[in-house]
Amino acid sequence: LEPHSAGRTIEHATFLTHSDAKKAPDAKAILQDMFEFWDLINTQDIEIVEQVHLGTASPTYTGGRFSFRFEEPVHRFQNMVADKMLVHEETRYRIPEGDSRQHEGA
């Protein structure tokens, strides 16, 4: 991703494949189909992100999570990053509530 301005980002992508994939029958058509599928999904994702950006630019949006249910893992990760960046020893290495069972015995 290459940011150009507050409202514009250029995306660059490199497609990698095993060298033997080029030896397959109809390899060119198969690889083209794969690219077209990626392009379809990526274009849909871009449209979704653009709509979210329009919504967050609205004066009625005051910030915060959109959905507490579906954004919980993202919120916990953001808290972990913030804790790691802070110099407070008591929070710097804490595991967010709800994740402690994942780290038992680790």
Side-chain angles (χ1 to χ4, degrees), residues 37-74:
F37 179 72
W38 171 85
D39 189 51
L40 171 69
I41 301 301
N42 195 54
T43 299
Q44 292 171 346
D45 288 348
I46 289 169
E47 291 168 357
I48 292 167
V49 169
E50 287 174 343
Q51 291 300 312
V52 169
H53 281 248
L54 286 173
T56 57
S58 167
T60 58
Y61 177 70
T62 58
R65 289 190 270 175
F66 299 124
S67 167
F68 284 89
R69 179 178 176 203
F70 297 113
E71 294 187 52
E72 180 66 25
V74 173

Side-chain angles (χ1 to χ4, degrees), residues 64-65 71-86 94 96 99:
R65 289 190 270 175
E71 294 187 52
E72 180 66 25
V74 173
H75 182 66
R76 287 203 315 249
F77 177 75
Q78 290 169 336
N79 284 338
M80 289 173 67
V81 171
D83 286 348
K84 192 71 170 171
M85 293 172 67
L86 297 174
R94 79 181 169 104
D99 286 343

Side-chain angles (χ1 to χ4, degrees), residues 24-43:
D26 297 325
K28 192 171 186 172
I30 292 169
L31 293 172
Q32 183 63 34
D33 285 348
M34 289 173 56
F35 169 77
E36 288 175 8
F37 179 72
W38 171 85
D39 189 51
L40 171 69
I41 301 301
N42 195 54
T43 299

